[in-house]
Amino acid sequence: MPEPDHMHWEGRWGDLEAIRQLKARYCRFVDTKQWTRLAALFVPGTVFEGFGSAPTGADERQFIAGISARLAEVVSIHHCHTPEIAFTGERSARGIWQMMDYLQFPDGQRPREAPDSPGFVGWGYYEEDYRLCDDGRWRFCFMRLTRQRIDPLAADHPPVRAGFIAPTPDWL
């Protein structure tokens, strides 16, 4: 069966890579708590659905305020892989990414997704829309998190260890 027209990538390899880089920066900026840089990845009016840190329908300002407050002291690790990306126009695209996240909350805090646990490992999908902006950069304009599974960390899960080398925010 032939692919729908919107799936053809001929001549779009640079755009595909730019969208993959956008998603990689999203994960890194969340996990390294670079909230100002994270905010720059979204067009004004981006809509969010399915996130524990902002209500469904939140815009990018509400999302950044919510995620920066909720994850400020949390060890988080986000992995996104095997993207499917379709171009829906010259300056628009849609994608779906498999995801896995690990969140470990500090002593005394409990996530609402696993209230009897110090954290969780979750699996699901990001469903996203992207826009090519006038400055030549791709940005998110819609982001939905869907979850298929959440596994609570055991109550006696080892505490966060200190002393690791932190990522360098300006490495690239």
Side-chain angles (χ1 to χ4, degrees):
M1 173 184 278
E3 293 181 11
D5 285 341
H6 71 278
M7 296 291 285
H8 291 289
W9 299 339
E10 289 84 11
R12 303 299 303 257
W13 295 111
D15 291 323
L16 283 169
E17 182 58 22
I19 292 169
R20 284 193 287 263
Q21 293 287 319
L22 173 69
K23 188 62 177 184
R25 285 190 302 277
Y26 168 84
C27 292
R28 181 168 57 94
F29 293 164
V30 168
D31 293 340
T32 59
K33 320 303 188 227
Q34 296 184 64
W35 309 122
T36 301
R37 286 180 167 172
L38 180 66
L41 303 181
F42 305 106
V43 299
T46 297
V47 175
F48 295 84
E49 294 181 359
F51 289 87
S53 52
T56 291
D59 66 15
E60 73 285 355
R61 292 179 310 266
Q62 294 167 305
F63 175 73
I64 296 297
I67 197 169
S68 64
R70 184 171 193 221
L71 299 187
E73 302 299 321
V74 172
V75 172
S76 67
I77 302 166
H78 288 77
H79 289 194
C80 295
H81 37 85
T82 60
E84 298 173 68
I85 299 170
F87 291 96
T88 56
E90 283 301 310
R91 301 176 69 83
S92 61
R94 175 168 277 189
I96 186 166
W97 299 75
Q98 291 180 356
M99 63 79 66
M100 185 282 299
D101 59 355
Y102 170 95
L103 292 110
Q104 185 173 1
F105 288 71
D107 288 340
Q109 292 186 25
R110 298 289 185 249
R112 62 184 150 275
E113 297 87 347
D116 297 325
S117 169
F120 62 88
V121 178
W123 291 271
Y125 292 90
Y126 281 102
E127 299 170 342
E128 302 167 339
D129 286 326
Y130 317 100
R131 182 176 308 144
L132 181 59
C133 297
D134 290 340
D135 65 0
R137 294 182 182 263
W138 285 93
R139 290 189 175 82
F140 298 100
C141 56
F142 175 80
M143 186 179 280
R144 176 186 298 130
L145 175 60
T146 64
R147 292 202 179 269
Q148 292 182 295
R149 183 179 176 107
I150 291 179
D151 290 336
L153 300 179
D156 63 348
H157 190 77
V160 175
R161 290 188 349 197
F164 293 109
I165 296 174
T168 306
D170 295 320
W171 186 259
L172 294 178

